[in-house]
Amino acid sequence: GKLIVASDEQQRDTELPKLVEYAKLNGVDLQILSKEEVSSMEPNVASEGAVFSPSTGIVNSHALMTSLLSDAEECGAMLALRCRVEGGHVIQPANNGTSTIVLNVDETEISCDNVIVCAGLASDKIASSILSSSLSHNNTALRETQQPIIPRQYYAKGNYFKLENQRSPFTRLVYPLPDSKGGLGVHATIDMSGNTRFGPDVQWLDPDITKDTTGNPYEVDMNVDPNRATAFYDAIRKYWPRLKDGNIVPDYAGVRPKLSHPQMRNVNSELGDFVIAGEKDHGVRGLLVLLGIESPGLTSSLAIAELIAKMMK
């Protein structure tokens, strides 16, 4: 299970009920707990109340992906690693026949009936390349706008610290309320070995990092700056005040794609968490583009797959 804790009365009375309503709209059953009920469940958590998600758990992500790969291969799929997709274009046949999407893969062209662009940090670049190249291939939707209808992605680095020299204080996942800066807040997670980690924070990368071909989010320094520990202590102690000085150390970092950026306030402001763009969005039959799929995308991966399967029919 997971606790999402309120650190003051305003959060308890206003923000927690909002989360419960959002969850109901998505078919998730959450329970609001009092301060006393939280203490009974997790004695080390300091709060004014919390939302409890009994269905939340942890999963071995690598084992899950291996299992999914095995299922896919049984159905005839083939995984090709270390193949760089550099872009592509769309060929529209005469007499309104079926279009073909041509991918440029390691200087080789591969013709496809259907393409799902699920390339993480590079999804928007690959999709924009395909759509931009298609402007000269009689694509009506693109010709009318003269630009690809694909939202741009931005990037935020997320840093983690791990707990040392102190026993893990929780038996469940513990989250603060979502961070207004764009993340879920510095939360406590427990891995498959029982170790406790805290993170991620939100470290926005320059919005121009992918403005030209020289910017590459995959080349960002993935070391965790030890100086960020100060902000971590402050965030963690809001729900675990007994954390001792010197007991969290840098662990690892990652970069997630975002659909908005604080320096670009009017861009993509109407978009939700994820974008799955199909023919009605960009005008190319057989092309699906997944954008802004950050870490909750793993949790919702099977639901996303079901939606994609329906959209591709």
Side-chain angles (χ1 to χ4, degrees), residues 80-146:
L81 300 175
R82 299 186 181 276
C83 298
R84 184 181 180 86
V85 179
E86 298 164 338
H89 61 270
V90 177
I91 298 177
Q92 294 285 1
N95 302 322
N96 296 319
T98 304
S99 60
T100 299
I101 303 171
V102 180
L103 295 179
N104 300 326
V105 183
D106 287 336
E107 301 182 355
T108 298
E109 290 192 340
I110 300 177
S111 297
C112 311
D113 294 328
N114 299 287
V115 171
I116 301 170
V117 180
C118 186
L121 303 181
S123 277
D124 57 336
K125 271 194 165 183
I126 292 174
S128 294
S129 171
I130 295 171
L131 295 173
S132 296
S133 300
S134 303
L135 285 170
S136 60
H137 287 80
N138 301 318
N139 188 291
T140 302
L142 294 177
R143 188 173 65 249
E144 289 175 351
T145 61
Q146 292 300 301

Side-chain angles (χ1 to χ4, degrees), residues 20-197:
V20 173
E21 288 304 313
Y22 288 146
K24 285 182 179 178
L25 293 174
N26 288 283
V28 179
D29 183 27
L30 301 183
Q31 307 166 17
I32 293 183
L33 304 180
S34 67
K35 178 179 181 178
E36 291 73 25
E37 289 172 321
V38 174
S39 295
S40 176
M41 187 176 289
E42 290 287 350
N44 290 307
V45 171
S47 76
E48 290 297 327
V51 162
F52 178 54
S53 171
S55 60
T56 297
I58 60 174
V59 64
N60 184 324
S61 58
H62 295 284
L64 171 63
M65 288 183 280
T66 300
S67 177
L68 292 175
L69 175 60
S70 176
D71 290 344
E73 289 176 334
E74 286 185 7
C75 294
M78 180 176 67
L79 175 65
L81 300 175
R82 299 186 181 276
C83 298
R84 184 181 180 86
V85 179
E86 298 164 338
H89 61 270
V90 177
I91 298 177
Q92 294 285 1
N95 302 322
N96 296 319
T98 304
S99 60
T100 299
I101 303 171
V102 180
L103 295 179
N104 300 326
V105 183
D106 287 336
E107 301 182 355
T108 298
E109 290 192 340
I110 300 177
S111 297
C112 311
D113 294 328
N114 299 287
V115 171
I116 301 170
V117 180
C118 186
L121 303 181
S123 277
D124 57 336
K125 271 194 165 183
I126 292 174
S128 294
S129 171
I130 295 171
L131 295 173
S132 296
S133 300
S134 303
L135 285 170
S136 60
H137 287 80
N138 301 318
N139 188 291
T140 302
L142 294 177
R143 188 173 65 249
E144 289 175 351
T145 61
Q146 292 300 301
Q147 62 180 356
I149 313 171
I150 287 295
R152 177 184 171 188
Q153 292 188 141
Y154 301 93
Y155 306 104
K157 182 179 177 181
N159 301 278
Y160 281 86
F161 281 72
K162 63 182 177 181
L163 181 66
E164 286 193 346
N165 305 319
Q166 203 168 348
R167 185 176 180 180
S168 181
F170 313 124
T171 59
R172 298 168 179 83
L173 309 181
V174 179
Y175 282 55
L177 281 162
D179 190 343
S180 60
K181 294 180 180 179
L184 295 177
V186 173
H187 49 266
T189 59
I190 304 169
D191 65 19
M192 301 297 292
S193 300
N195 300 311
T196 300
R197 289 180 173 84

Side-chain angles (χ1 to χ4, degrees), residues 227-247:
N227 292 322
R228 301 186 76 84
T230 299
F232 269 74
Y233 279 110
D234 292 341
I236 297 166
R237 283 170 174 159
K238 289 180 180 178
Y239 56 85
W240 185 35
R242 295 179 182 174
L243 172 63
K244 297 178 181 179
D245 288 342
N247 281 8

